[in-house]
Amino acid sequence: MQDRLNELNSNKIIRIRVILGEIVKYGFSIFNQFNGKRKHIHVVTYGNYFLRFIYCFEAVKTLLKDFDKNKAYHEYSIALILRASLLDTLTILYLKSYYLELQSTPDSSAPNYNTEFGKLLSDQIKRIFKVDRNDENFKPEVFRELVDKVKSNYNYLFKEDIPIDYNAPEKCLIFGDGGNDITRKKIEERLNSAKNVESNFKHIFNLYDLYSKYDHFGVVGTTLMRLDINEIFQNILNSLYYLVEGISVSLEFMRYDKNIQNDYDNLREQLGYLGGAVRTNYMYLSDTYKKDNQ
């Protein structure tokens, strides 16, 4: 097992951190200009996905600092962060497949983009409502206040024609029926069958499954953490490369805001640099560049 990065990866880690810093800079600028304006819920949702990616890149940039010396504990943190963003990317690609389908067959009565989007928004609310009423700490009046507050904040997700059932408030959600969750299996089946999404989703699934071994304790996860550092770093690089797909789709829903156009162009350029830095088999950095960006 190698505990030191080879020369190519030593250069890549410096260059990648510089690029991630630029992506984070333009990303926060875009979101700060984009945030706080009245926009369609679909656009706002992709804006928040975009912010999650920027948080991910900022964290990975920080954790890659002195990675050779700190791999033992930085690797685990990076793995959990990337796993969440890889799942975000898969979910976005799943929604994109329905979005493109809706554009070509807008009158379809089959499950479509709007229903799948509604399921996504309703999922966490359903989980909030699923409480153990036999728990000694359960207080019906407190729970009723919670339900009323949630309904007030997210009234567009509730059925208008029926009153709230405080014994099963999830049934009052438009997309609250059982079996509606967007699961990993459902995402994979959809992307395998969709003919309108050209992506690297199989590679993304492989990396997501790899990092799931870190998230859930087991012998494989502990073994993965003892791999050659260069192999570990390559998985990180590949993950960053594929996350660009999720960022790109999110940006497509945000880009029509004229205020963000300049930063949008700059960010797209940096994303291109990121892809190039990940894929190249040769990279030279001057001593001055290395010193300035350590």
Side-chain angles (χ1 to χ4, degrees):
M1 179 182 71
Q2 288 287 334
D3 287 326
R4 303 294 296 177
L5 292 170
N6 59 39
E7 182 179 2
L8 174 60
N9 284 335
S10 293
N11 286 338
K12 280 191 176 186
I13 207 166
I14 295 171
R15 179 63 181 144
I16 291 291
R17 290 187 72 249
V18 171
I19 296 171
L20 291 180
E22 291 297 297
I23 291 174
V24 169
K25 179 181 72 175
Y26 291 122
F28 278 130
S29 179
I30 286 173
F31 189 80
N32 288 337
Q33 295 176 70
F34 175 83
N35 196 25
K37 300 174 184 176
R38 294 175 64 88
K39 291 183 172 67
H40 195 282
I41 185 62
H42 292 227
V43 181
V44 172
T45 299
Y46 286 103
N48 282 292
Y49 264 126
F50 174 78
L51 184 61
R52 285 165 63 92
F53 286 123
I54 299 306
Y55 284 150
C56 167
F57 278 19
E58 182 180 41
V60 171
K61 173 185 178 292
T62 300
L63 291 166
L64 285 177
K65 176 75 172 175
D66 298 325
F67 189 64
D68 276 13
K69 301 174 184 176
N70 301 320
K71 181 192 78 66
Y73 57 97
H74 282 199
E75 172 200 354
Y76 179 72
S77 299
I78 291 173
L80 299 186
I81 293 166
L82 289 176
R83 179 182 183 269
S85 289
L86 288 165
L87 181 58
D88 281 352
T89 298
L90 289 168
T91 305
I92 287 171
L93 292 174
Y94 172 86
L95 291 174
K96 179 182 177 181
S97 74
Y98 281 101
Y99 179 80
L100 294 175
E101 190 175 84
L102 184 63
Q103 303 311 300
S104 60
T105 55
D107 297 327
S108 173
S109 59
N112 60 32
Y113 174 74
N114 292 319
T115 58
E116 296 305 307
F117 189 87
K119 293 175 189 177
L120 174 70
L121 295 187
S122 299
D123 180 66
Q124 289 187 342
I125 294 177
K126 285 197 297 181
R127 297 179 192 280
I128 290 174
F129 287 164
K130 291 181 179 179
V131 299
D132 184 1
R133 288 174 171 77
N134 295 318
D135 189 295
E136 62 180 10
N137 294 317
F138 177 74
K139 295 181 173 57
E141 65 278 8
V142 174
F143 182 68
R144 288 175 66 95
E145 290 178 5
L146 171 65
V147 173
D148 289 341
K149 184 175 181 179
V150 170
K151 185 177 186 298
S152 175
N153 289 338
Y154 309 103
N155 61 336
Y156 53 89
L157 293 174
F158 287 80
K159 298 173 183 176
E160 297 180 354
D161 55 339
I162 61 172
I164 287 289
D165 178 357
Y166 291 98
N167 291 314
E170 64 276 6
K171 293 182 179 179
C172 301
L173 288 163
I174 297 173
F175 304 100
D177 296 334
N180 274 337
D181 294 348
I182 300 176
T183 63
R184 181 215 183 279
K185 181 179 179 181
K186 185 179 289 188
I187 293 173
E188 187 169 18
E189 289 176 348
R190 172 67 184 182
L191 292 179
N192 274 323
S193 62
K195 296 180 173 57
N196 55 11
V197 177
E198 296 181 8
S199 83
N200 297 293
F201 67 87
K202 290 185 178 180
H203 296 296
I204 300 173
F205 269 117
N206 288 338
L207 287 163
Y208 172 75
D209 287 339
L210 174 77
Y211 288 132
S212 293
K213 305 297 189 300
Y214 289 77
D215 195 32
H216 304 285
F217 178 78
V219 294
V220 177
T222 55
T223 300
L224 288 172
M225 296 176 71
R226 293 194 291 268
L227 291 176
D228 183 315
I229 189 173
N230 291 286
E231 186 174 352
I232 289 169
F233 182 57
Q234 189 59 52
N235 289 330
I236 294 171
L237 290 180
N238 289 339
S239 298
L240 293 173
Y241 179 82
Y242 293 127
L243 293 185
V244 172
E245 288 199 57
I247 293 176
S248 296
V249 176
S250 299
L251 279 170
E252 287 304 307
F253 279 86
M254 300 167 64
R255 65 174 300 187
Y256 299 106
D257 186 325
K258 295 179 181 178
N259 291 330
I260 70 171
Q261 188 61 47
N262 288 337
D263 284 333
Y264 171 87
D265 293 337
N266 290 328
L267 179 58
R268 295 294 303 183
E269 182 179 48
Q270 294 298 325
L271 292 173
Y273 290 155
L274 176 62
V278 168
R279 291 302 187 215
T280 187
N281 292 318
Y282 173 79
M283 180 177 291
Y284 168 78
L285 301 178
S286 69
D287 291 339
T288 301
Y289 187 93
K290 292 179 183 179
K291 182 179 179 181
D292 290 344
N293 295 288
Q294 285 289 358

